Amino acid sequence: MPDNEYPNPREEDIYAGERRISRPDSALPDWHIPDASYRPIPIAWFAAAFLMQMVILTVLFLMLLGQSGWVTIIICGLATLALGVWTWERGMRAAGSGWQIATVLMLAAQFALVCLGAAPRL
């Protein structure tokens, strides 16, 4: 069996019928390197909203410790509302109702903790 019977994958494309199975630039079959694109999923929006709200409300709560509890509640409420609108605009509006309900409950629960913490200053 002579060496020149088989093509060298480092120098030329190798085909199996109509399908290219190797190419010189990667030596990997075409099917092994899929074309990919970013497709966000609801858990990513949920997690982003959760983490951002946690950080934002903590910072606001600590910055407003010397203020009236009402100021803390109003400002944190506005921040929560803005974060909720941002999350819906990112794509949560197209997510399943379970993700939407979970997101609203999570945003409300974290805001409720701020209200509970600010209650002694009312």
Side-chain angles (χ1 to χ4, degrees):
M1 181 175 344
D3 288 335
N4 62 0
E5 185 176 328
Y6 299 105
N8 184 350
R10 294 175 191 244
E11 295 175 5
E12 59 186 298
D13 291 344
I14 298 176
Y15 286 88
E18 295 292 316
R19 186 170 180 90
R20 181 171 56 189
I21 60 171
S22 179
R23 57 186 185 202
D25 60 339
S26 68
L28 291 174
D30 282 347
W31 51 263
H32 190 67
I33 304 172
D35 292 332
S37 62
Y38 174 69
R39 193 188 86 189
I41 52 174
I43 193 167
W45 301 317
F46 177 87
F50 173 78
L51 294 172
M52 288 184 68
Q53 186 190 28
M54 182 177 63
V55 170
I56 291 169
L57 293 186
T58 300
V59 169
L60 287 174
F61 188 85
L62 293 174
M63 286 175 48
L64 299 170
L65 274 176
Q67 302 295 322
S68 166
W70 288 114
V71 173
T72 302
I73 290 171
I74 290 169
I75 292 176
C76 288
L78 291 173
T80 298
L81 182 63
L83 186 59
V85 168
W86 176 72
T87 301
W88 245 249
E89 293 298 317
R90 287 182 71 198
M92 190 58 80
R93 78 174 70 229
S97 59
W99 282 110
Q100 292 175 347
I101 292 168
T103 302
V104 169
L105 289 175
M106 176 272 301
L107 291 171
Q110 288 195 78
F111 178 64
L113 291 174
V114 168
C115 292
L116 187 63
R121 293 185 282 133
L122 295 178

